[in-house]
């Protein structure tokens, strides 16, 4: 019978302890991987015509990003969505393009679901965010309407207007975009 040295015994005990701990975590990890009852997702329906009509009126853009439109429509989808969109479209048509305080007064007189839909559409197209409270989700970042409306005066998000450290040069010094 061979006796183990203290070092060998400690290494072996640490290995057994690590295996026991990792097996507990692995067991928990694999329970998350098991198929569970998945939440019912919104159906993969094409974006409705009322959704696109309302979106064009709210954004002032005729050719909206199809991917963003699909993501926004899908995240807002519920069985009454198209009926609410039709009601919102008729209110927008009644206002003949008026914006600002007159439109906000009309909107304040509408039902809460209609007001909420208006705000969700604005947040989705301009901010790329849908949901409320703890259920906020980002559905877009780089192809937002707010960037498209200002593309002629602002750089795309996260792009620098010059080479590294371009800001240390005095204003008016020639700075090219490529260094």
């Amino acid at each position: 019978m061979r006796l183990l040295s203290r070092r060998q015994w400690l290494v072996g005990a640490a290995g057994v302890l690590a295996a026991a701990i990792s097996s507990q975590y692995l067991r928990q990890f694999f329970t998350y991987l098991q198929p569970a009852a998945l939440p019912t997702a919104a159906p993969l329906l094409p974006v409705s015509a009322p959704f696109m009509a309302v979106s064009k009126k709210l954004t002032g853009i005729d050719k909206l990003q199809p991917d963003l439109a699909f993501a926004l429509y899908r995240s807002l989808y519920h069985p009454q969505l198209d009926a609410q969109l039709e009601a919102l479209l008729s209110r927008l048509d009644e206002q003949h393009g008026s914006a600002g305080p007159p439109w906000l007064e009309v909107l304040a007189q509408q039902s809460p679901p209609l007001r909420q839909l208006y705000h969700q559409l604005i947040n989705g197209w301009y901010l790329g965010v849908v949901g409320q409270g703890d259920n906020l989700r980002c559905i877009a970042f780089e192809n937002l309407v707010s960037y498209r409306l200002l593309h002629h005066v602002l750089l795309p998000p996260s792009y620098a207007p010059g080479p590294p450290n371009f800001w240390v040069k005095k204003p008016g010094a020639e700075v090219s975009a490529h260094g």
Side-chain angles (χ1 to χ4, degrees), residues 2-155:
R2 180 172 182 264
L3 292 177
L4 295 175
S5 71
R6 186 170 25 171
R7 181 177 297 160
Q8 290 173 331
W9 188 87
L10 284 174
V11 168
V16 169
L17 183 61
I21 290 172
S22 65
S23 69
Q24 177 186 0
Y25 289 116
L26 286 174
R27 192 175 322 115
Q28 288 176 353
F29 174 74
F30 285 117
T31 58
Y32 290 121
L33 293 180
Q34 291 177 353
L38 296 174
T40 308
L44 294 176
L45 300 172
V47 177
S48 70
F51 176 83
M52 292 307 291
V54 167
S55 296
K56 288 176 184 179
K57 283 190 176 283
L58 292 178
T59 62
I61 297 176
D62 288 331
K63 291 190 175 195
L64 293 166
Q65 290 282 341
D67 294 341
L68 180 55
F70 180 76
L72 183 56
Y73 183 75
R74 186 162 187 237
S75 66
L76 296 177
Y77 183 80
H78 56 83
Q80 295 82 27
L81 178 64
D82 287 335
Q84 289 178 347
L85 288 166
E86 290 283 351
L88 187 57
L89 183 60
S90 69
R91 300 305 179 280
L92 287 168
D93 287 341
E94 290 169 4
Q95 292 304 304
H96 301 293
S98 67
W103 168 243
L104 293 177
E105 288 174 13
V106 170
L107 189 61
Q109 298 169 3
Q110 303 307 311
S111 66
L114 205 59
R115 287 194 309 260
Q116 183 180 8
L117 177 61
Y118 170 79
H119 290 293
Q120 288 174 331
L121 287 168
I122 293 295
N123 285 343
W125 282 112
Y126 284 87
L127 302 176
V129 176
V130 293
Q132 294 177 345
D134 293 338
N135 296 325
L136 284 176
R137 279 189 319 124
C138 180
I139 59 169
F141 175 72
E142 62 189 38
N143 56 355
L144 298 175
V145 169
S146 54
Y147 294 136
R148 289 183 62 191
L149 295 176
L150 300 171
H151 77 279
H152 60 287
V153 292
L154 293 178
L155 294 170

